[in-house]
């Protein structure tokens, strides 16, 4: 049932033209063969690959868990496939030129799957989730540094614009932001923030290539709400450029103590293998056994030390 639901959601995301072409390709050249040999799956697959492209296959269990555990504005199945195979993802492998169209940013030439604010936020959120959910040595986890590189390459494009926050009162923004950095016929630029001048309530856009080395810009604070909490796109941008986040996604290497599992993987969430000296120190300080010290550190440091997860990490 889960596989059928995923397939349904995938098909719903395609245009009517693509769906019709795939279904039409299922009919053999000789219709009589439909009753003796069945649909022409090879032809349908060729049409699918021509329109949609080949994607990295994602295990069904991983899609199901991500769907339950991560909230995104991008299809979880498509996002996971893109992260695990960024070279085959149009969103993560292709630069698209953007401009201000009316009161919002839009691609200069319409494309089916551009890199957007939703793609950015989902990519960073799912990458963090995958780094925690998959063990070191897992081939899927090994793909994450490449996905981060692809995101950074898209953000470096001088023609990229991403939406930033909700539609904002232009007059209110001007009062706080002051004199624009640059004025164009259809927008005003404040640092990396572009405000369309088509009407008095545009959707802000970010020229990501103009952000500083941390993925930030002083004018972003003007777009925040009264509580001054960073917007989702701000958090994603900072994460994309954060060296600590890159280290989280990187291969942890071999365990500091103990062996890998039979399949060559291990869990850094197991303190006895990742920080054995700390386990020994805690055991000595509190008079605990090694297993109890390991569990204590797991409960202290990790966000989700459920019985099931702890058993998975420590064996």
């Amino acid at each position: 049932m889960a596989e059928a639901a995923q397939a349904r959601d995938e098909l719903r995301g395609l245009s009517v033209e693509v769906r019709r072409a795939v279904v039409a390709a299922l009919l053999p050249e000789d219709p009589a063969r439909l009753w003796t040999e069945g649909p022409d799956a090879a032809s349908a697959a060729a049409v699918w690959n021509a329109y949609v492209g080949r994607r990295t296959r994602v295990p069904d269990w991983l899609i199901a868990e991500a769907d339950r555990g991560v909230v995104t504005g991008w299809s979880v199945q498509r996002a996971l496939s893109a992260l695990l195979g960024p070279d085959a993802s149009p969103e993560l492998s292709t630069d698209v030129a953007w401009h201000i169209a009316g009161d919002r940013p839009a691609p200069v030439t319409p494309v089916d799957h551009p890199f957007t604010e939703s793609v950015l936020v989902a990519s960073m959120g799912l990458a963090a989730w995958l780094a925690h959910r998959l063990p070191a040595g897992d081939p899927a986890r090994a793909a994450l540094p490449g996905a981060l590189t692809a995101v950074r390459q898209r953000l470096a494009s001088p023609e990229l614009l991403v939406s930033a926050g909700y539609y904002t009162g232009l007059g209110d923004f001007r009062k706080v932001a002051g004199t624009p950095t640059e004025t164009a016929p259809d927008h005003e630029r404040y640092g990396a923030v572009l405000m369309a001048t088509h009407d008095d309530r545009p959707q802000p856009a970010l020229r990501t290539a103009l952000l500083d080395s941390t993925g930030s810009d002083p004018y972003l604070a003007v777009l925040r709400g009264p509580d001054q909490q960073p917007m989702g796109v701000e958090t994603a941008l900072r994460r994309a450029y954060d060296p600590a986040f890159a280290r989280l996604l990187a291969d942890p290497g071999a365990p500091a103590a103990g062996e890998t599992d039979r399949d060559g993987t291990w869990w850094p969430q197991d303190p006895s293998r990742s920080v054995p000296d700390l386990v020994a120190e805690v055991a000595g300080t509190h008079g605990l056994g090694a297993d109890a010290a390991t569990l204590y550190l797991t409960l202290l440091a990790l966000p989700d030390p459920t019985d099931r997860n702890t058993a998975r990490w420590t064996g």
Side-chain angles (χ1 to χ4, degrees), residues 154-223:
R154 302 291 75 74
L155 293 173
S157 171
E159 295 184 300
L160 175 67
L161 294 175
V162 296
S163 303
Y166 301 102
Y167 285 84
T168 302
L170 183 57
D172 293 337
F173 182 89
R174 284 169 171 164
K175 289 177 183 178
V176 180
T179 304
T181 308
E182 179 184 35
T183 301
D186 57 359
H187 70 272
E188 296 171 351
R189 180 171 68 82
Y190 300 80
V193 177
L194 275 64
M195 301 292 287
T197 52
H198 175 76
D199 56 31
D200 62 356
R201 197 165 184 81
Q203 183 178 47
L206 285 178
R207 181 75 71 186
T208 54
L210 298 179
L211 296 168
D212 65 23
S213 60
T214 68
S216 189
D217 183 277
Y219 290 99
L220 285 172
V222 185
L223 298 175

